[in-house]
Amino acid sequence: MKILVVNPNTSEEFNRKLEQAAKEYALPPTEVKVISPASGPKSIEGIYDEALSVQGTLDAFIDREKEFDGFVLACYSDPLVVYAMREITTKPVLGIAEASVHLACLLGNKFSIVTTNDRWEPLLHEAVRKYGVESRCASVRTTGLRVLDLEGEGEGAVEKAIEREALAAVKEDGAEVICLGCAGMSGFDKALEKKLGVPVLDGFVCALKLLELFDQYGIRHSKILTYAAPESKELTCLPSRFSKAYLKDR
Amino acid sequence: MKILVVNPNTSEEFNRKLEQAAKEYALPPTEVKVISPASGPKSIEGIYDEALSVQGTLDAFIDREKEFDGFVLACYSDPLVVYAMREITTKPVLGIAEASVHLACLLGNKFSIVTTNDRWEPLLHEAVRKYGVESRCASVRTTGLRVLDLEGEGEGAVEKAIEREALAAVKEDGAEVICLGCAGMSGFDKALEKKLGVPVLDGFVCALKLLELFDQYGIRHSKILTYAAPESKELTCLPSRFSKAYLKDR
Amino acid sequence: MKILVVNPNTSEEFNRKLEQAAKEYALPPTEVKVISPASGPKSIEGIYDEALSVQGTLDAFIDREKEFDGFVLACYSDPLVVYAMREITTKPVLGIAEASVHLACLLGNKFSIVTTNDRWEPLLHEAVRKYGVESRCASVRTTGLRVLDLEGEGEGAVEKAIEREALAAVKEDGAEVICLGCAGMSGFDKALEKKLGVPVLDGFVCALKLLELFDQYGIRHSKILTYAAPESKELTCLPSRFSKAYLKDR
Amino acid sequence: MKILVVNPNTSEEFNRKLEQAAKEYALPPTEVKVISPASGPKSIEGIYDEALSVQGTLDAFIDREKEFDGFVLACYSDPLVVYAMREITTKPVLGIAEASVHLACLLGNKFSIVTTNDRWEPLLHEAVRKYGVESRCASVRTTGLRVLDLEGEGEGAVEKAIEREALAAVKEDGAEVICLGCAGMSGFDKALEKKLGVPVLDGFVCALKLLELFDQYGIRHSKILTYAAPESKELTCLPSRFSKAYLKDR
Amino acid sequence: MKILVVNPNTSEEFNRKLEQAAKEYALPPTEVKVISPASGPKSIEGIYDEALSVQGTLDAFIDREKEFDGFVLACYSDPLVVYAMREITTKPVLGIAEASVHLACLLGNKFSIVTTNDRWEPLLHEAVRKYGVESRCASVRTTGLRVLDLEGEGEGAVEKAIEREALAAVKEDGAEVICLGCAGMSGFDKALEKKLGVPVLDGFVCALKLLELFDQYGIRHSKILTYAAPESKELTCLPSRFSKAYLKDR
Amino acid sequence: MKILVVNPNTSEEFNRKLEQAAKEYALPPTEVKVISPASGPKSIEGIYDEALSVQGTLDAFIDREKEFDGFVLACYSDPLVVYAMREITTKPVLGIAEASVHLACLLGNKFSIVTTNDRWEPLLHEAVRKYGVESRCASVRTTGLRVLDLEGEGEGAVEKAIEREALAAVKEDGAEVICLGCAGMSGFDKALEKKLGVPVLDGFVCALKLLELFDQYGIRHSKILTYAAPESKELTCLPSRFSKAYLKDR
């Protein structure tokens, strides 16, 4: 199967990490392509950043939708654009947060998410509640570090901060599984797992492997209500490609 | 006070209704301006439509943020852009769904929302849950009509469908208050109230009046965590106005 | 509009504070009268005190109901008498706790309540849960001080205790908005807001302003189920005014 | 042990029924006295009625508190006065709704409450939620009949209406246990149980037997936080007996 | 009435404690017999242990079901076998955890459970949630001690550890009632209650006394849905007594 | 990888269906063996049946645990034995209900379960609540048919009943995904999906594919708290294999 990974920020470093993880975990016949939108912010550290990434991300998706069999939106949050994508394709689209929390529930009684700056604590709590698994979530912990720090050289410090919060989640909050709460943390999972002695999930790998699973089992998301194809309508001052997307599933 | 109402779709009919309601309910010193973004869909009937409206809506907001004292985002949903706006302004921003459900809770034990096409049923249930008032929500009912039908001539039929569902919410679901679940329903409130004998809330009026209340009391949204000003970062292929918005609240 | 504020305890100091706040925040045409019942406890520090205040409070309300357009019951709790009043009037009646928590939800992701003696912690948690917004409540914190201390000279100490708990709510519990959890704290809001840098709500002002909003919008509480007018019945050894209240809404 | 049953309304018919049930189910050494307050409404059909019953009920309780070992407040609701009583005594006080729903949870997966007029549906749902067992409650159903109808001659009709709703609760809502939702229904339990084939609980009997259980096991309600003895304070225009109640547990 | 207490582990020490408590609290006419299964683990410290106890426990129960009027399954958890027993008898069967938590709710606003090894913290949280009373549970605290330590000589140390955690539950978690979270803690209740000043419940006594209450009131668990008698079916390599149990309630 | 599927009942028909599904969906290198325990009931229609299957199922598992890399417990419920197995192995163990509901959450907003006899309705609701996804569950619907009917010739009728309930779940309950709620329904998924136009999940396939995913990603369940290896203890009258299982993971 061919999987398109859309990293909604424009950080090439992130893409390298995701490509590396895809290389490591994708099955041999799976082809994985990682892209960033042509327009948007360098990182997504809140809702304003997310909002700035929406149009570019959708654009990149619509442009390539036909060539791929499944899609990962590689931002550890509950991105609006995942739902928009599901409305205009019949192929599976997964976010990396939802992928990881549902797998986490199958591996231990409670999971915690370790993420970057403080705003994600309320935002990811909301996401977990929307996904329905709030009773399984021990905590969302933040390192206080910025997303782009994850790219830099000081990775030793970043890794240490993540380890500290993950350990606290295990010792103080009752977490039995850790979810890495940022696409930029991709690749830290196994090293952290060794240190902590509990399963550590890289949301990107979770989403990637679930898409393979969906493909092998032949399942796709439901198109009858929440993700039904939208009725077409007049668009003003938007590229024609957005209009054509309405026609897709007719 | 000066209030900017951003209708995130491009329907002029909606704007007329909102202006009419503003005329009727705003206090004398309040100036209300209703605008639509320069780009975007004619109506918002789902998440794809919402996604297409994000950039234009933000653009229109940023362009005029300095001139106004408060903002209404006039789409009956939980719009991403409300949170984005809150991050980049210190002035109050309200959505019309959140405004109406919290007031509804003060007027009766349970409320129901009557809205348009079926997809809004799950989406507004999610919104109500995010706002925290799911235990106060009797039901979300849909007329099955499209948003743009609300503009058309057949308003008698639309009104009847809304009345039918609102009555069912009262009789079958235990609703004591009705929230009109679409900006395009603005203006139906008092007529429906007379027929049903229960309070009927126009979310736009709720948001407008709450902004006046905030202004008179001197309160604004909190800027310390969820709506804190985002750190600036590199933006690619986006109008410079979006970059400048980062600097705002420093 | 004419608003009657019923302070259910007999502390004149409280009434002075409420009158002061009314003077500051009511719109010019709004007339506000603050009264205490003829009988009852000097302060309300629990359910026994509340129970002792019920009959006097109702009596005072019934006596003046005709002359006013809206009513505030100025006790920061979920007072039984608010619901009793709603049954026997068609004009809006608001408690100050419910008013503040719903507005708090519109100003930040999570709010905390800072109140007086320890018993209010479980009692206000129950109230918040009944209002439906428990998922939005970061904490209820108590200063351990008695209600009547709020009247005394040592207000510096009281203010400091409130500030300490409010700060802890923000730093440790994730509160983004603070609700002052006692009518006797009326007037501390703006000073505390300045110190904390987050919105601080005086429940009395919230209720007062919401009544004005209800008046301007022309909305009242629902009379069809929970607050429906009760059937009249034989009363024994109670002032005849209580009997006549049954007949009101026929 | 000596149990005082306070029926907070002034209906002698109710008292007769409760005395009959006490005779049938109390252990031989248990003495049960049923009283009504000297003042108050003939029945309690809502919160206004409850409010009118508060002072008389408390008065009657305080007057006799010393002579008895445990107390039942015989109104199927979540009466304010139960909590007031708990604050000023160290002896156990039980409401009949809380008693029945907790026992119902031990007898079947889900229970339903069948009660009288419609207002009790939202009110008892709130009570069930406050007691914590909302996930075990299949439904609250109302017969639409008034409380005082339960006293009258047409008991055949009342019984039939209760049976109809109880049967619907079992067949349509998944109830496995029925709670009779009014003190005036006392005595219907076993007849209804025979017809339905599911356990039917008379809340008064539940409370009575639980008080005996508490007595035999030597347990009482906790006095450290929610039901702690209140600080004494100045009371205005209230019988001195209410003042003395403060001193009780020092 | 005749009550059979099945201690699902094979520890005779536990049985002695239970017999002692029964002697102290059972009414004179109540006969109580405490047994352990012929096969199974010496203690139940998790689900594997529980699983090993299931067949022996059921066997012991089926063997004596006819001779007794009610049954206690004396393991402080949510034992599978309680539900199995309810399916094949019409007589009441109670677990000791469910018995204690529902009584705890009647004695204070919030309760905590103090138990042994760490695994019980998540397991008992799940049980509390299944019983429906999670909003009433302040905490589940563990001493870190093993179940069998409760039998040994070092009871002073065990008692101290329980007291320490119970005190922390009261001081830090807001508990107003303590439930002893292991059958092997039977007998500690009154001593601990004296030290803490809050009600302390021995789940075994709770279950025993509730069975007496059920007997006196003439109530039994519901047999229409969750605990309905199962259809008989072919059993392979199991004692014939298990087959005959199917026929019971026909 | 080598997967052992333990069907906890003794129905060979079920095993055939599971083998067929494994053949269809397992990856080429995956070896799947389906077994039934040597002792136990022909079908599992409730908790008594489940209890009778526990010892045999554990026995069969322990006997072969070393030879396999992952385990499916093929009963659509929340089987006790899954948790027992997790305690005594470090290899992944999945139940088929948990596997299907978490995947269902990734495919649509709400899912429903369609199962066999009525008792499973409350039991599976409890399971869904324990898994944490109750807010995502539209309904649990039962066909009223017995488990073993699924084996018989009248499969047309069984299939029709399942289809009827699944359709009702979609049309009336808002389900967007259907989970087949019995291992014996394995193989109906794709046919039903075609008729309904929504994703239909066979829980067995879900578990099987998730085990492959776990293997490829190198993740296993957490062993630090809920599923930690139990301390060994004296076992009475049980095969020595059960004792040896304690030593396993030291």
Side-chain angles (χ1 to χ4, degrees):
Chain A
M1 88 179 294
K2 297 179 69 180
I3 292 175
L4 181 69
V5 180
V6 188
N7 165 17
N9 70 40
T10 60
S11 160
E12 276 299 315
E13 291 291 328
F14 273 44
N15 296 1
R16 296 297 80 75
K17 287 184 183 181
L18 301 176
E19 282 162 0
Q20 184 55 40
K23 204 166 294 171
E24 208 160 332
Y25 292 110
L27 288 176
T30 305
E31 293 173 43
V32 180
K33 185 173 180 60
V34 182
I35 61 165
S36 281
S39 72
K42 188 74 191 291
S43 66
I44 296 185
E45 299 187 296
I47 303 299
Y48 179 63
D49 293 345
E50 184 189 340
L52 295 183
S53 77
V54 166
Q55 194 160 310
T57 302
L58 259 188
D59 202 21
F61 166 71
I62 291 171
D63 196 32
R64 292 169 182 85
E65 192 269 344
K66 279 211 185 104
E67 309 159 41
F68 291 87
D69 307 308
F71 305 88
V72 177
L73 198 286
C75 181
Y76 203 94
S77 64
D78 180 47
L80 186 82
V81 88
V82 163
Y83 303 96
M85 287 156 76
R86 284 182 182 162
E87 290 185 10
I88 55 171
T89 183
T90 58
K91 300 168 184 171
V93 180
L94 283 180
I96 66 178
E98 63 181 338
S100 72
V101 299
H102 284 292
L103 289 188
C105 288
L106 294 167
L107 295 174
N109 193 278
K110 296 230 174 180
F111 65 88
S112 284
I113 298 170
V114 178
T115 183
T116 55
N117 63 310
D118 291 349
R119 194 200 312 270
W120 290 114
E121 199 264 341
L123 294 179
L124 286 174
H125 263 304
E126 275 176 3
V128 161
R129 203 164 175 253
K130 181 168 162 191
Y131 298 149
V133 291
E134 69 269 32
S135 68
R136 306 291 298 274
C137 180
S139 58
V140 176
R141 284 181 168 261
T142 60
T143 61
L145 297 170
R146 295 192 55 191
V147 170
L148 292 176
D149 293 341
L150 299 175
E151 269 195 36
E153 294 143 79
E155 265 192 27
V158 169
E159 219 170 23
K160 224 165 236 162
I162 296 170
E163 186 188 334
R164 185 192 62 229
E165 293 303 321
L167 195 65
V170 169
K171 295 288 181 211
E172 296 168 31
D173 309 334
E176 303 182 15
V177 180
I178 297 296
C179 295
L180 294 175
C182 179
M185 293 178 183
S186 195
F188 285 5
D189 52 346
K190 293 304 178 192
L192 187 57
E193 188 165 300
K194 231 164 267 163
K195 290 196 176 174
L196 296 176
V198 305
V200 176
L201 298 182
D202 177 339
F204 169 62
V205 180
C206 295
L208 176 74
K209 298 305 293 180
L210 280 165
L211 285 180
E212 292 180 336
L213 184 159
F214 290 175
D215 188 55
Q216 292 161 23
Y217 184 13
I219 51 181
R220 294 170 163 215
H221 54 260
S222 184
K223 293 291 292 179
I224 57 156
L225 185 56
T226 311
Y227 314 139
E231 307 281 330
S232 69
K233 65 209 47 149
E234 188 190 324
L235 299 185
T236 304
C237 291
L238 286 170
S240 65
R241 139 186 325 139
F242 290 126
S243 277
K244 285 182 203 138
Y246 280 114
L247 307 172
K248 245 203 132 278
D249 308 299
R250 300 301 132 82
Chain B
M1 90 178 291
K2 296 179 69 181
I3 293 175
L4 182 68
V5 181
V6 189
N7 165 17
N9 70 41
T10 60
S11 160
E12 276 299 316
E13 293 290 329
F14 274 44
N15 296 3
R16 295 297 80 77
K17 288 183 183 182
L18 300 175
E19 283 162 359
Q20 183 55 41
K23 205 165 295 171
E24 207 161 334
Y25 292 110
L27 287 176
T30 305
E31 293 173 43
V32 180
K33 187 176 176 60
V34 182
I35 61 166
S36 280
S39 71
K42 187 76 189 292
S43 66
I44 296 186
E45 300 186 296
I47 303 299
Y48 179 62
D49 294 344
E50 183 189 341
L52 295 183
S53 77
V54 165
Q55 193 160 311
T57 302
L58 259 188
D59 202 19
F61 166 72
I62 291 171
D63 195 32
R64 292 168 181 86
E65 191 270 341
K66 280 212 186 104
E67 311 157 40
F68 291 87
D69 306 308
F71 305 89
V72 177
L73 198 287
C75 180
Y76 204 95
S77 64
D78 180 47
L80 186 81
V81 89
V82 162
Y83 304 95
M85 288 157 76
R86 285 181 182 164
E87 290 186 10
I88 55 171
T89 184
T90 59
K91 300 168 185 171
V93 181
L94 283 180
I96 65 177
E98 62 180 340
S100 71
V101 300
H102 283 294
L103 290 188
C105 288
L106 294 167
L107 296 173
N109 195 277
K110 297 233 173 179
F111 66 86
S112 284
I113 298 170
V114 178
T115 184
T116 54
N117 62 309
D118 291 349
R119 194 201 313 269
W120 290 113
E121 199 264 341
L123 294 179
L124 286 175
H125 262 304
E126 276 178 2
V128 162
R129 203 164 175 254
K130 181 169 162 192
Y131 298 149
V133 291
E134 69 269 32
S135 68
R136 305 292 297 275
C137 180
S139 58
V140 176
R141 282 182 169 260
T142 59
T143 61
L145 298 171
R146 296 190 56 191
V147 169
L148 291 177
D149 294 339
L150 300 175
E151 269 195 37
E153 296 142 79
E155 266 192 28
V158 169
E159 220 170 23
K160 223 165 235 163
I162 295 170
E163 187 188 333
R164 186 192 61 229
E165 292 304 320
L167 194 66
V170 169
K171 296 288 181 213
E172 295 168 31
D173 308 335
E176 304 182 16
V177 180
I178 297 296
C179 296
L180 294 175
C182 179
M185 293 179 185
S186 196
F188 286 4
D189 50 349
K190 293 303 179 192
L192 187 57
E193 191 165 299
K194 229 164 272 164
K195 291 196 174 174
L196 295 176
V198 305
V200 176
L201 298 181
D202 176 338
F204 169 63
V205 180
C206 296
L208 177 74
K209 299 305 293 179
L210 281 164
L211 285 181
E212 290 181 337
L213 184 160
F214 289 176
D215 188 57
Q216 292 161 22
Y217 184 15
I219 50 180
R220 293 170 164 217
H221 55 260
S222 184
K223 292 293 293 180
I224 58 158
L225 186 55
T226 311
Y227 315 138
E231 307 279 331
S232 69
K233 64 209 46 148
E234 188 191 322
L235 299 186
T236 305
C237 293
L238 286 171
S240 65
R241 143 187 320 142
F242 290 124
S243 276
K244 284 180 204 141
Y246 280 114
L247 306 172
K248 238 190 142 292
D249 309 299
R250 300 303 130 81
Chain C
M1 90 179 291
K2 296 179 68 180
I3 292 175
L4 181 69
V5 180
V6 189
N7 165 16
N9 69 41
T10 60
S11 160
E12 275 300 314
E13 292 291 328
F14 273 44
N15 296 1
R16 295 298 79 79
K17 288 184 183 181
L18 301 176
E19 282 162 0
Q20 184 54 41
K23 204 164 295 172
E24 209 160 332
Y25 292 111
L27 289 175
T30 305
E31 293 173 45
V32 179
K33 185 173 179 61
V34 182
I35 62 165
S36 281
S39 72
K42 188 76 190 292
S43 66
I44 296 184
E45 300 187 297
I47 303 299
Y48 179 62
D49 294 344
E50 183 189 342
L52 294 183
S53 77
V54 165
Q55 194 161 311
T57 302
L58 259 188
D59 202 19
F61 166 71
I62 292 172
D63 196 33
R64 293 167 180 85
E65 193 269 344
K66 280 213 184 103
E67 308 158 40
F68 291 87
D69 307 309
F71 305 88
V72 177
L73 199 284
C75 181
Y76 204 94
S77 64
D78 180 47
L80 185 81
V81 88
V82 162
Y83 303 96
M85 288 157 75
R86 285 182 182 163
E87 290 185 10
I88 55 171
T89 184
T90 58
K91 300 167 183 172
V93 180
L94 283 180
I96 65 178
E98 61 181 339
S100 71
V101 300
H102 283 293
L103 290 188
C105 288
L106 295 167
L107 295 173
N109 194 277
K110 296 231 175 181
F111 66 88
S112 283
I113 298 170
V114 178
T115 184
T116 54
N117 63 310
D118 291 350
R119 195 201 312 269
W120 289 114
E121 199 263 342
L123 294 179
L124 286 175
H125 263 305
E126 274 177 4
V128 161
R129 202 164 175 255
K130 181 170 161 191
Y131 298 150
V133 292
E134 69 269 31
S135 68
R136 306 292 297 276
C137 180
S139 58
V140 176
R141 282 182 169 261
T142 59
T143 60
L145 296 171
R146 294 191 57 191
V147 169
L148 291 176
D149 293 341
L150 300 175
E151 270 195 36
E153 294 143 79
E155 267 193 26
V158 169
E159 220 170 24
K160 225 166 234 161
I162 296 170
E163 187 187 335
R164 186 192 62 231
E165 293 304 321
L167 194 66
V170 169
K171 295 288 182 211
E172 296 168 31
D173 308 335
E176 304 183 15
V177 180
I178 297 296
C179 296
L180 294 175
C182 178
M185 293 177 183
S186 195
F188 285 6
D189 51 348
K190 294 302 177 191
L192 187 57
E193 190 165 298
K194 231 164 268 163
K195 291 196 174 173
L196 296 176
V198 304
V200 176
L201 298 182
D202 177 339
F204 169 63
V205 180
C206 296
L208 177 74
K209 299 304 292 177
L210 280 165
L211 285 181
E212 291 181 337
L213 184 159
F214 289 176
D215 188 57
Q216 292 161 22
Y217 185 13
I219 51 180
R220 295 172 162 214
H221 54 260
S222 184
K223 292 293 292 180
I224 57 157
L225 184 56
T226 311
Y227 314 139
E231 307 281 330
S232 69
K233 65 210 47 149
E234 187 191 323
L235 300 185
T236 304
C237 292
L238 287 170
S240 64
R241 140 187 324 140
F242 289 126
S243 276
K244 285 183 204 139
Y246 281 115
L247 306 171
K248 248 203 133 286
D249 308 299
R250 302 302 132 80
Chain D
M1 91 179 291
K2 295 178 70 180
I3 292 175
L4 182 69
V5 180
V6 189
N7 166 16
N9 69 41
T10 60
S11 159
E12 275 299 315
E13 293 291 329
F14 274 43
N15 296 3
R16 294 299 79 77
K17 287 183 183 182
L18 301 175
E19 281 162 1
Q20 184 54 41
K23 205 165 294 171
E24 209 161 332
Y25 292 111
L27 288 176
T30 306
E31 292 172 44
V32 179
K33 187 174 178 61
V34 181
I35 60 166
S36 281
S39 71
K42 187 76 190 291
S43 66
I44 297 185
E45 299 186 296
I47 303 300
Y48 179 63
D49 294 343
E50 184 189 342
L52 294 183
S53 78
V54 165
Q55 192 159 312
T57 301
L58 259 188
D59 202 20
F61 166 71
I62 291 171
D63 196 33
R64 293 169 181 83
E65 191 268 344
K66 279 209 188 108
E67 309 158 40
F68 291 88
D69 306 308
F71 305 88
V72 177
L73 198 287
C75 181
Y76 203 94
S77 64
D78 180 47
L80 185 82
V81 88
V82 162
Y83 303 95
M85 288 157 75
R86 284 181 182 164
E87 290 186 9
I88 56 170
T89 184
T90 59
K91 299 168 185 171
V93 180
L94 284 179
I96 65 177
E98 62 181 340
S100 71
V101 300
H102 284 294
L103 291 188
C105 288
L106 295 166
L107 296 174
N109 195 278
K110 297 232 174 179
F111 66 86
S112 285
I113 299 171
V114 178
T115 184
T116 54
N117 61 309
D118 291 349
R119 194 200 314 269
W120 290 114
E121 199 264 341
L123 294 179
L124 287 174
H125 262 304
E126 276 178 1
V128 161
R129 204 163 174 254
K130 180 168 163 193
Y131 298 149
V133 291
E134 69 268 31
S135 69
R136 305 291 297 275
C137 180
S139 57
V140 177
R141 283 182 168 259
T142 59
T143 60
L145 297 171
R146 297 191 56 193
V147 169
L148 291 178
D149 294 339
L150 300 175
E151 266 193 39
E153 295 142 80
E155 266 192 28
V158 169
E159 219 169 24
K160 224 165 235 163
I162 296 171
E163 186 188 335
R164 184 192 62 229
E165 293 304 320
L167 194 66
V170 169
K171 295 288 181 211
E172 295 169 30
D173 308 335
E176 303 183 17
V177 180
I178 298 296
C179 295
L180 294 175
C182 179
M185 293 178 184
S186 194
F188 286 4
D189 51 348
K190 293 305 177 190
L192 187 56
E193 189 165 300
K194 230 163 271 163
K195 290 195 174 171
L196 296 176
V198 304
V200 176
L201 298 182
D202 177 337
F204 169 62
V205 180
C206 295
L208 176 74
K209 300 304 293 178
L210 280 165
L211 285 181
E212 290 180 336
L213 183 160
F214 289 176
D215 188 57
Q216 291 161 23
Y217 184 14
I219 50 180
R220 293 170 164 215
H221 55 261
S222 184
K223 292 292 293 180
I224 58 158
L225 185 55
T226 310
Y227 315 138
E231 307 281 329
S232 70
K233 66 210 41 150
E234 189 191 321
L235 299 186
T236 304
C237 292
L238 286 171
S240 66
R241 140 188 322 144
F242 290 125
S243 276
K244 284 181 205 141
Y246 279 114
L247 307 171
K248 245 199 133 290
D249 309 298
R250 302 299 131 82
Chain E
M1 93 179 289
K2 297 179 68 180
I3 293 175
L4 181 70
V5 180
V6 189
N7 165 16
N9 70 40
T10 60
S11 160
E12 275 299 314
E13 292 291 328
F14 273 43
N15 296 1
R16 295 298 80 76
K17 287 184 183 182
L18 300 176
E19 282 162 1
Q20 184 55 41
K23 204 165 295 172
E24 210 161 329
Y25 292 110
L27 288 176
T30 306
E31 292 173 45
V32 180
K33 186 174 179 60
V34 182
I35 62 166
S36 281
S39 71
K42 188 74 190 294
S43 66
I44 297 185
E45 299 187 297
I47 303 300
Y48 179 61
D49 293 345
E50 184 189 340
L52 294 183
S53 77
V54 165
Q55 193 161 312
T57 302
L58 259 189
D59 202 20
F61 166 71
I62 291 171
D63 195 31
R64 292 167 182 87
E65 192 269 342
K66 279 211 186 107
E67 308 158 41
F68 291 88
D69 307 308
F71 305 88
V72 178
L73 198 285
C75 181
Y76 203 95
S77 64
D78 180 47
L80 186 80
V81 88
V82 163
Y83 303 95
M85 288 157 75
R86 286 183 181 161
E87 290 185 9
I88 56 171
T89 184
T90 58
K91 300 168 185 172
V93 180
L94 283 179
I96 65 178
E98 60 180 340
S100 71
V101 300
H102 283 294
L103 290 188
C105 288
L106 295 167
L107 296 172
N109 193 277
K110 297 231 175 180
F111 66 88
S112 284
I113 299 170
V114 178
T115 184
T116 55
N117 62 310
D118 291 348
R119 193 201 312 269
W120 289 114
E121 200 263 342
L123 294 179
L124 286 174
H125 263 305
E126 275 177 3
V128 161
R129 203 164 175 253
K130 181 168 161 190
Y131 298 150
V133 291
E134 68 269 32
S135 68
R136 305 292 297 276
C137 180
S139 58
V140 176
R141 283 181 169 262
T142 60
T143 61
L145 296 170
R146 295 191 54 190
V147 170
L148 291 176
D149 293 341
L150 300 175
E151 270 195 37
E153 294 143 79
E155 267 192 26
V158 168
E159 221 170 23
K160 225 165 234 159
I162 296 171
E163 186 188 334
R164 185 192 63 230
E165 293 303 321
L167 195 65
V170 169
K171 295 289 181 211
E172 296 168 31
D173 308 335
E176 303 183 15
V177 180
I178 297 296
C179 295
L180 294 175
C182 178
M185 292 178 184
S186 194
F188 284 6
D189 51 348
K190 294 303 177 189
L192 187 57
E193 189 165 300
K194 229 163 271 166
K195 291 195 175 174
L196 295 176
V198 305
V200 177
L201 298 182
D202 177 339
F204 169 62
V205 180
C206 295
L208 177 72
K209 299 304 292 178
L210 280 165
L211 285 181
E212 290 181 337
L213 184 159
F214 290 175
D215 188 56
Q216 292 161 22
Y217 184 14
I219 50 180
R220 294 172 163 213
H221 54 262
S222 184
K223 292 291 293 179
I224 58 158
L225 185 55
T226 311
Y227 315 139
E231 308 280 330
S232 69
K233 65 210 45 148
E234 187 190 324
L235 300 185
T236 305
C237 291
L238 285 170
S240 65
R241 141 187 322 141
F242 289 126
S243 277
K244 284 181 204 140
Y246 280 115
L247 307 170
K248 245 201 132 287
D249 307 300
R250 300 302 131 83
Chain F
M1 91 179 290
K2 296 178 69 181
I3 293 175
L4 181 68
V5 180
V6 188
N7 165 16
N9 71 41
T10 59
S11 159
E12 276 299 314
E13 293 291 327
F14 273 44
N15 296 2
R16 293 301 77 78
K17 288 184 182 181
L18 301 175
E19 281 162 1
Q20 184 55 40
K23 205 165 295 171
E24 208 160 333
Y25 292 110
L27 289 175
T30 305
E31 292 174 43
V32 180
K33 186 174 178 61
V34 182
I35 61 165
S36 281
S39 72
K42 188 76 190 291
S43 66
I44 296 185
E45 300 187 295
I47 303 299
Y48 179 63
D49 293 344
E50 182 188 342
L52 294 183
S53 76
V54 165
Q55 192 160 311
T57 302
L58 260 188
D59 202 20
F61 167 71
I62 292 171
D63 195 33
R64 292 168 181 85
E65 190 270 344
K66 280 211 185 105
E67 309 158 41
F68 292 87
D69 307 308
F71 305 88
V72 178
L73 198 285
C75 180
Y76 204 95
S77 64
D78 180 47
L80 186 81
V81 88
V82 163
Y83 303 95
M85 287 156 76
R86 284 181 182 164
E87 290 186 9
I88 55 171
T89 185
T90 59
K91 300 168 184 171
V93 180
L94 283 179
I96 65 177
E98 61 180 341
S100 70
V101 299
H102 284 293
L103 291 188
C105 288
L106 295 167
L107 296 173
N109 194 277
K110 297 232 173 180
F111 65 87
S112 285
I113 299 170
V114 178
T115 184
T116 54
N117 61 310
D118 291 349
R119 193 200 313 269
W120 290 113
E121 198 265 341
L123 294 179
L124 287 174
H125 263 303
E126 276 177 2
V128 162
R129 203 164 175 254
K130 181 169 163 191
Y131 297 149
V133 290
E134 69 270 30
S135 68
R136 306 292 297 275
C137 180
S139 59
V140 176
R141 284 182 168 260
T142 58
T143 60
L145 297 171
R146 297 190 56 190
V147 170
L148 291 177
D149 293 340
L150 301 175
E151 268 195 37
E153 296 142 80
E155 268 192 27
V158 169
E159 221 170 23
K160 224 166 235 162
I162 296 170
E163 187 188 334
R164 185 192 62 230
E165 293 303 321
L167 194 65
V170 170
K171 295 288 181 212
E172 296 168 30
D173 308 335
E176 304 182 16
V177 180
I178 297 296
C179 295
L180 294 174
C182 179
M185 293 178 184
S186 196
F188 285 5
D189 51 349
K190 293 303 179 192
L192 187 57
E193 190 165 300
K194 229 164 271 164
K195 291 197 173 171
L196 295 177
V198 304
V200 177
L201 298 181
D202 176 339
F204 169 63
V205 180
C206 295
L208 177 74
K209 298 305 293 179
L210 280 165
L211 285 181
E212 291 180 337
L213 183 160
F214 290 175
D215 188 57
Q216 292 161 21
Y217 184 14
I219 51 181
R220 293 171 165 215
H221 54 260
S222 185
K223 291 293 292 180
I224 58 158
L225 186 54
T226 311
Y227 316 138
E231 307 280 330
S232 70
K233 64 211 44 149
E234 189 192 320
L235 299 184
T236 304
C237 292
L238 286 170
S240 65
R241 147 190 313 146
F242 289 124
S243 276
K244 284 182 204 137
Y246 280 113
L247 306 171
K248 249 203 126 282
D249 308 299
R250 299 303 129 82

